[in-house]
Structure formats: C-alpha cells, structure tokens
Amino acid sequence: MYKLAVLDIDGTLIDNKGNISKKTIQTISEVQQSGGIVTICTGRNIRKALPIAKKAGIKVPIGCIDGAILIEPETKNIVEGLELSQYEIDLILSAAQSKQVFVELNTGYIYHKFAENEDDYRYDIFNKRTPIGRIKSYMGGVRYIKSFPQLKAITSPIYQIVIAGKTDTISEIKHTIQQGDCNNIDIREHLWDKYLFISRKGGNKASGVKRLCDYFRVSMSETITIGDDRNDIDMLEEAGLGVAMGNAQEDIQKIADYVTASNEQNGAALALEKFFLKK
C-alpha cells in the first residue's frame, strides 16, 4: 500500500500552459482525504514552486531546487536546506571566471544570472531576451548581474550553481573544480547537454524524496514518484513505484515502473487514482 506521492511540476503536475486541471486538484484532495500524502519535488526555486503548491492544495513540506530545499508552503519555513559553503562557491565561480559561459546562482528565491558576452545568454533558455521577457523574468525572481565581481559578492545562501557553455569549456571548468576540495558537492552534467548543475551532495530529487520520506515517516517502498524529465530519473528509479508521464521521452519511460497519460491528459491525476484511490 502506498502512502506518499511525490510529483514533479513542469510537464507533470501542470499542463503545457502552466495550469493545473480541476481534475488534478480534485484528485489530490481525494487522496489527502483518504489518508494519503501528496507533495512536490521540483527543479523550480521556492518563489516559482509555492504558487503551484497552493493551487494544488498542498500544505505539507515540498522539495525545491531538485530537493536541495524542503520548505513548508504555508509558513515558508525551510525544513532543511543544503546550501553550498563559501569555499565551494568560490571554487566553482573561480573556475568559471573569464570563461565564455552563462552562470546562474540560485539562492532559493532569486536566480542571479550573468554572462560576459551577450551571445552566451542563449543558454538562458527560459528568457527570450525581449522587453516583455525581461519583465516576466524579473517578476519571477530573475536578476541579471552586470559584472562577475558583483556575482561573486552575492552573500545569500546559494543552493545551486548552473554553468553552461561550449562542451570543451564546460569540461575544462568541471576538471578545474574537481582539482579542489569538492567531496561534498555533486556535479551533474547528464541533465542537459552543455550544462553543469552543481549543488551539495543530496541536492537531487532521489535524495530530496528520501528526506521527505523521513519527514513523513514513510519508507521509500511506500512512495510513488511521478515525473517526465531527466532530473526525475533518480527519483523514479529509487521510489517504490516510479511513474513516467506519457509526454516523457522514451528513455525515461523505459526506466519507469509504469507509464501514465501525458500532462495534457491528466496523467498525474490518473496515476493517483489508480494507485491510491483504486479507480
């Protein structure tokens, strides 16, 4: 019997227009009323995840930034945060300095972004660099930094650093970081081509789900995870039941225990109905 469901947001809980269907909201409510727990583990930061949790009626702790942060949606209290140390931040940024790359620091609520050359902002895939795009990004917690020294001067807790650029440049930066004392950090380069996602060890969805299990006193074998993208693979593999969305790529569907309908066809709701409500 499953007790906990952990859902991704983009491509899973919401449709392609960013909306949660009435059916999904109703199904989550029914699972909660039946005694099941439904929560989220997303690559989004706190600012972008909390409105979705509220719409979905989720009040228990959720995982943000691929599980690097566990936070209570209503109180906004951080239950647990895996922030990078100042040494690790300096090591990573020094490796990227003076390189033709795009850099993003994630402080939980704000994305601080910088590129020395305008052309490298092409790696900032969520902003089309239009006036309207900039306004939307600002409202969504994005801040564009004007110089690398200003980027290095950011003092807020930093939970994830993303570096993107040409393949050989990214490989060089990774190698430089690994020459330092980096035993407590993870460098993930399999999520997107030409990107490094860097966080403290445990800053991935599988570890985030495990910490959520500990919080709820539920075992991984009693947990269902639902997702669609490459950063969901580890949590799909390690949960009691990993459910891939119908819109997930074929390789992700192959590693899942079950494939549901797409996010445009209420796939997450249908999976919750099948495994929690037995419909």
Side-chain angles (χ1 to χ4, degrees), residues 4 66 84 98 143 168 215 278:
L4 171 64
D66 288 342
L84 291 160
S98 302
R143 301 294 182 269
D168 56 346
Y215 179 89
K278 306 301 180 184

Side-chain angles (χ1 to χ4, degrees), residues 103-116:
V103 182
E104 174 186 283
L105 305 187
N106 195 330
T107 63
Y109 284 92
I110 302 296
Y111 298 97
H112 298 273
K113 305 188 180 193
F114 173 78
E116 194 77 52

Side-chain angles (χ1 to χ4, degrees), residues 81-95:
L82 304 180
E83 59 187 83
L84 291 160
S85 70
Q86 191 58 55
Y87 168 80
E88 290 160 347
I89 295 167
D90 291 341
L91 173 66
I92 296 163
L93 292 183
S94 294

Side-chain angles (χ1 to χ4, degrees), residues 216-235:
F216 296 119
R217 298 184 179 181
V218 172
S219 69
M220 283 291 279
S221 64
E222 297 171 311
T223 301
I224 292 176
T225 54
I226 309 176
D228 75 301
D229 211 341
R230 303 203 67 79
N231 63 334
D232 298 315
I233 290 176
D234 55 4
M235 75 172 188

